[in-house]
Amino acid sequence: MAKDFSALLDELAGYDFSGMYNSDFLHTWDKTTDELRALYAVAAALRNLRERNISPRIFNSGLAVSLFRDNSTRTRFSFSKATNLLGLQLQDLDEKKSQIAHGETVRETATMISFMADVIGIRDDMYIGAGDAYMAEVAESVDEAYRDGVLDHRPTLISLQSDSDHPTQSSADLLYLIEEFGGLENLRGKKVAVTWAYSPSYGKPLSCPQSLISLLPRFGMDVTLAHPEGYDLMGDRVEAARAYAAESGCTFKQVNTMEEAFEGADIVIPKSWAPYAAMEQRTKLYSAGDDEGIKALEKELLAQNATHMDWCSTTDLMAKTANGQDTIFMHPLPADISGVSCEHGEVMADVFDMHRVGMYKEASYKPYAIAAMIFLQKCKDPVATLKALEAQGKDRWFQA
Amino acid sequence: MAKDFSALLDELAGYDFSGMYNSDFLHTWDKTTDELRALYAVAAALRNLRERNISPRIFNSGLAVSLFRDNSTRTRFSFSKATNLLGLQLQDLDEKKSQIAHGETVRETATMISFMADVIGIRDDMYIGAGDAYMAEVAESVDEAYRDGVLDHRPTLISLQSDSDHPTQSSADLLYLIEEFGGLENLRGKKVAVTWAYSPSYGKPLSCPQSLISLLPRFGMDVTLAHPEGYDLMGDRVEAARAYAAESGCTFKQVNTMEEAFEGADIVIPKSWAPYAAMEQRTKLYSAGDDEGIKALEKELLAQNATHMDWCSTTDLMAKTANGQDTIFMHPLPADISGVSCEHGEVMADVFDMHRVGMYKEASYKPYAIAAMIFLQKCKDPVATLKALEAQGKDRWFQA
Amino acid sequence: MAKDFSALLDELAGYDFSGMYNSDFLHTWDKTTDELRALYAVAAALRNLRERNISPRIFNSGLAVSLFRDNSTRTRFSFSKATNLLGLQLQDLDEKKSQIAHGETVRETATMISFMADVIGIRDDMYIGAGDAYMAEVAESVDEAYRDGVLDHRPTLISLQSDSDHPTQSSADLLYLIEEFGGLENLRGKKVAVTWAYSPSYGKPLSCPQSLISLLPRFGMDVTLAHPEGYDLMGDRVEAARAYAAESGCTFKQVNTMEEAFEGADIVIPKSWAPYAAMEQRTKLYSAGDDEGIKALEKELLAQNATHMDWCSTTDLMAKTANGQDTIFMHPLPADISGVSCEHGEVMADVFDMHRVGMYKEASYKPYAIAAMIFLQKCKDPVATLKALEAQGKDRWFQA
């Protein structure tokens, strides 16, 4: 632990994060930098309590509703753990398959699941524009239901990944970096490579890299984005990254090779994603119900991917980084590991092996990131509540 | 809130509902009118506690088992919320598909899921006679297991919809009406239209309208039942409705058009259902494994439905009611809305829009109806227990 | 209850079971006889507390992860009940279908589900060697993750059935026998028939009979194993049974007919299983992806089974036992009952009927067996903790 509990509370008390109470967490860019700092402090405080066997449970009963419109194991378990830690019962709304639903259906379902619900977690990342639109509709629906007196209180929303952002992942990533570098302030000036990598599968979401380039420059990190030609991210995300960097006095640059991005990097985060333009096309085909078109596009994309098999993390590449093989290597997992999970993938087995423990630790922060979001959205006075929880000292795991 | 907490307890203390402890809730007609009044009072008391952030949790641990032999989102979530509110953990028994099982299998499964279970909720509404028979078999199995010393206590049952009744829905409906009219006593003499409506789908259960005509006349409401020729409900339910009306000194009549039913109504409840005779035939075909026969019947029924497309709630029809467009319009949802969820449906979009908030509020009572059933079945002295819960004053949602 | 609570604690205090804390429960043969005695005493103590409405909950929050690589209703519910009783939230990892996974995938998944998890229950019984290997890999993965500082504590594992052992079932069986005979010491010298029985299905796991022959001789019971030629169990399990018998001064013998096994038996446990050699062959075919080979093998095995239809428990056979029709008849359920669940099965309907209550009681011990495993693995001082729980006297089910 970088800081002890009371230091965390002091730090927290210094931020202005009053806007988070009763709000949603859909994108990191909806939040002020102070609000994000508060998030990291609360996550650390909750972890601190739990590791001292003090229960941070604030709900005696209550429901957390999850809605996964794409498969998930890691995020599902993280949400389950976070909600359980705070005392909520998870209830999954299984819609069977991803679909782009609108209007009446969304409003009605959102309201029906919200009676007695305290938080709703949604993953909807498969179609460009669809995930954000869906979450906005759910948010508006519960607003309306609350205003109309249908709900006695409004459940708050948490994005468990949309097509544009993956805030619980990037928050976990930042918590990991804070721990590794001994504090948020120490991240300033660190050089990060966010790069594309080859994968034999297709259609991986853009929200992971977008989430990173939208977040890291806000804390003064120098980000280099690398991808082959044609693998652009959403334009407004790249612009935002540039603007954040300018504001923080750090750099954001784009290069065309992994080599350039890895050169002198303190942290490397190589991962595959699909080209934005192709994903837009796919969304249109899906909306039109054009299954043949989707299959044809998939074939084309796999062929396009295959021309970039050299985008794979090797020890040679790692040697170019600031600390060689010791440089921090991150991945949200699961990774496509060459010779392990596929023939050619995002990363060589030896590189993965050397960095496995780090990536596992990175993942361990996700439940705390989610718990902190819920805590800040459901507690009017988080500092006082955390203090009270510590004073109360209820064993999480009772042993005589 | 129509009544404050202590007024609710006083009211409750005046009823004789001792028969509910350790019993099941399978049909409203198994209950005395006092028992039903107690149900509504307890539902209101639990809602009152929760809205004052006082936890009505009575279980420190314990299991609620759900068994859905038909798809469900709303009722599933309502059961989940109700059981969570009282401290039970939901465990779903997923039988994969609806089936008419008998004898050894039912007895054994019922017993195996019942160790340490406090309540079992069952939905089985697809086949005429099957749902009630199944629930009766489960009830008898747990009785026997308790008598034989296999179970240390007997879990109580709650019907989450059978082929004959939908008690949690009609209880929610009545709770909504009590709130709207400011008390159960104010419902006396109110005119209710329970009418069939056109739907492009087929085989909707009869239990919804049956549930209403079996319940509303018991509290002095004048019920008019309307449906096209051939869309009869079960005969014994209609006879029971007539008998309840006679007993209460109110009216129960049957008409052949929506217009007649809507005429002067204080409340309208239009919803599609399948003809009883056809549902009986379908059950026989299903038992015989005659898939071709089922498909042929479905075709025939859809064609029959299509001759009644004019059974749709319009503003013109609403204009005939007691309070015109302001008359209470109810539906258990989801509704088939013309031009929204289908081309032609049960209700026009403008009528649905005007009454959406009311229908959503109607739905909000279901978790409380279920929680009240459990509470009355598991508490020997509900008045004292509610009093103790209020005195205890445990925060449901802790905030320092 | 054979013993009261304080007698159980006194008994427990006399055993050396310190090795169970933070360990896994994968096979009964990994445990000392004292550890098993402690298990039975704790199971009885937990049942005693619950039946006196005292909550034995030791977790304020926490996760139990289940991983069923084979279908299960009974064991799933037992695990759910046991974990709920102690305060854990169940989170199922649904892998969709059984698969033999190795290496990176197992390690990563095991770690990812283990953040904040207190216990992991696994059923993996379909392929010879695969279940034990898989559980060993999961155990090693969480060991490593704990050593590496990825996990703040190590979740403990419980086998919910592997290809070699079914420890929660055989523990429930023994708890039932202890209750029936009024104490573990009274089982010494009792004669048990563990016999194969005919079933019209194929591929039933060997772990049930193996679990019994590996456990019962350790407490001085005379075990007779009977099966048709070719239906051998794993050789090392049979050898272990022989060794345990020798050590305890009781007998373990093998015969070729049900008649010989039933002759003079105090307890009979007839159940079908698949031949070991065939199961090994099936595992190889599965690994090779040879679906045709699997189908052919299935056909062959069903034909082989069909030559042994006379291996069915009848009243005539029961008449040969020590107490005739009153002799204890056990089965983990569901049984193949002749004329009920199949034409010809493991047991005649009249025999099953006479012994149904006993078999249901047998099943009722499984949640307590599992809860006791968790309790011993998660409590440093179970005697003190049980005492504290009784003194605390928290109602499991609150009633004023």
Side-chain angles (χ1 to χ4, degrees), chain A residues 50-51 55 57 74 77 80-81 84 89 334 352 356-357 360 364 368 394 396-400, chain C residues 57-62 89 91 104 107-108 112-113 115-116 118 148 152 378-380 384-385:
Chain A
R50 193 181 186 278
E51 292 185 358
S55 174
R57 185 170 177 165
R74 275 143 242 276
F77 267 74
S80 162
K81 285 153 184 178
N84 170 264
Q89 170 70 40
F352 186 85
R356 180 190 299 108
V357 170
Y360 285 6
S364 77
Y368 290 106
K394 172 93 190 149
R396 183 195 72 83
W397 169 8
F398 172 72
Q399 298 221 34
Chain C
R57 185 169 177 166
I58 51 173
F59 293 98
N60 184 254
S61 70
Q89 171 70 39
Q91 175 70 33
E104 202 53 53
R107 172 157 46 181
E108 193 169 303
M112 294 301 125
I113 62 175
F115 304 129
M116 295 196 196
D118 294 293
D148 288 338
D152 56 31
K378 306 305 281 186
C379 284
K380 209 175 280 185
T385 304

Side-chain angles (χ1 to χ4, degrees), chain A residues 173-251:
Chain A
D173 292 346
L174 207 60
L175 285 165
Y176 170 63
L177 289 174
I178 291 170
E179 185 73 19
E180 286 298 308
F181 287 89
L184 188 56
E185 60 286 1
N186 298 338
L187 301 184
R188 179 163 295 278
K190 293 290 174 296
K191 199 167 176 292
V192 191
V194 175
T195 103
W196 190 85
Y198 168 74
S199 159
S201 81
Y202 111 107
K204 301 209 174 193
L206 287 77
S207 45
C208 279
Q210 293 182 166
S211 195
L212 291 165
I213 63 166
S214 300
L215 184 64
L216 305 183
R218 299 182 68 176
F219 298 100
M221 304 183 83
D222 293 324
V223 172
T224 306
L225 174 66
H227 57 76
E229 216 194 300
Y231 284 80
D232 299 293
L233 298 176
M234 295 180 183
D236 57 345
R237 285 299 97 221
V238 174
E239 271 173 55
R242 213 179 305 277
Y244 279 133
E247 203 180 322
S248 302
C250 61
T251 63

Side-chain angles (χ1 to χ4, degrees), chain A residues 25-307:
Chain A
F25 209 115
L26 301 183
H27 313 94
T28 58
W29 52 84
D30 301 334
K31 304 293 169 189
T32 67
T33 308
D34 250 25
E35 287 170 349
L36 295 176
R37 289 178 201 271
L39 177 71
Y40 310 138
V42 169
L46 292 174
R47 186 162 196 151
N48 177 298
L49 284 177
R50 193 181 186 278
E51 292 185 358
R52 285 190 288 147
N53 197 35
I54 297 173
S55 174
R57 185 170 177 165
I58 50 171
F59 293 99
N60 185 253
S61 70
L63 242 72
V65 180
S66 60
L67 217 161
F68 284 90
R69 305 180 114 201
D70 192 6
N71 291 329
S72 165
T73 294
R74 275 143 242 276
T75 303
R76 188 182 289 279
F77 267 74
S78 291
F79 190 62
S80 162
K81 285 153 184 178
T83 54
N84 170 264
L85 184 68
L86 299 178
L88 296 173
Q89 170 70 40
L90 188 59
Q91 175 70 32
D92 189 50
L93 176 63
D94 183 3
E95 288 193 313
K96 292 285 177 295
K97 58 185 169 108
S98 177
Q99 51 181 334
I100 306 180
H102 285 301
E104 203 52 53
T105 307
V106 171
R107 171 156 50 182
E108 193 169 304
T109 302
T111 306
M112 295 301 125
I113 62 175
S114 292
F115 304 129
M116 295 198 198
D118 293 293
V119 65
I120 300 175
I122 302 176
R123 172 171 227 160
D124 189 345
D125 58 358
M126 290 186 71
Y127 302 104
I128 292 297
D132 279 335
Y134 178 74
M135 293 184 205
E137 260 191 282
V138 171
E140 205 182 295
S141 300
V142 294
D143 271 351
E144 194 184 331
Y146 177 68
R147 274 198 314 272
D148 289 339
V150 169
L151 300 177
D152 56 30
H153 68 281
R154 181 191 180 284
T156 59
L157 268 56
I158 289 175
S159 163
L160 301 173
Q161 189 166 6
S162 77
D163 47 288
S164 72
D165 197 11
H166 193 347
T168 64
Q169 180 65 45
S170 61
S171 299
D173 292 346
L174 207 60
L175 285 165
Y176 170 63
L177 289 174
I178 291 170
E179 185 73 19
E180 286 298 308
F181 287 89
L184 188 56
E185 60 286 1
N186 298 338
L187 301 184
R188 179 163 295 278
K190 293 290 174 296
K191 199 167 176 292
V192 191
V194 175
T195 103
W196 190 85
Y198 168 74
S199 159
S201 81
Y202 111 107
K204 301 209 174 193
L206 287 77
S207 45
C208 279
Q210 293 182 166
S211 195
L212 291 165
I213 63 166
S214 300
L215 184 64
L216 305 183
R218 299 182 68 176
F219 298 100
M221 304 183 83
D222 293 324
V223 172
T224 306
L225 174 66
H227 57 76
E229 216 194 300
Y231 284 80
D232 299 293
L233 298 176
M234 295 180 183
D236 57 345
R237 285 299 97 221
V238 174
E239 271 173 55
R242 213 179 305 277
Y244 279 133
E247 203 180 322
S248 302
C250 61
T251 63
F252 172 76
K253 60 179 178 179
Q254 288 185 266
V255 297
N256 300 311
T257 63
M258 281 185 104
E259 284 75 8
E260 291 167 88
F262 272 51
E263 188 70 47
D266 299 291
I267 300 139
V268 296
I269 319 181
K271 190 191 178 306
S272 198
W273 66 76
Y276 174 46
M279 287 300 94
E280 273 214 302
Q281 197 184 334
R282 182 166 161 248
T283 301
K284 279 177 202 156
L285 293 167
Y286 181 84
S287 297
D290 184 354
D291 287 347
E292 285 310 303
I294 290 177
K295 272 182 209 160
L297 176 64
E298 177 165 352
K299 228 177 189 167
E300 193 186 308
L301 287 171
L302 287 172
Q304 187 186 346
N305 267 13
T307 64

Side-chain angles (χ1 to χ4, degrees), chain C residues 371-386:
Chain C
M373 289 173 183
I374 299 174
F375 200 90
L376 284 158
Q377 291 173 189
K378 306 305 281 186
C379 284
K380 209 175 280 185
D381 188 342
V383 175
T385 304
L386 284 166

Side-chain angles (χ1 to χ4, degrees), chain A residues 354-367:
Chain A
M354 269 186 284
H355 296 278
R356 180 190 299 108
V357 170
M359 287 178 283
Y360 285 6
K361 283 187 179 170
E362 177 190 355
S364 77
Y365 286 94
K366 201 186 274 182

Side-chain angles (χ1 to χ4, degrees), chain B residues 10 91 156-157 159 178 183 221 247 269 283 312 319 322 371-372 374 400:
Chain B
D10 287 348
Q91 173 70 33
T156 60
L157 267 57
S159 164
I178 290 168
M221 304 182 85
E247 204 180 319
I269 319 181
T283 301
C312 176
I374 300 174

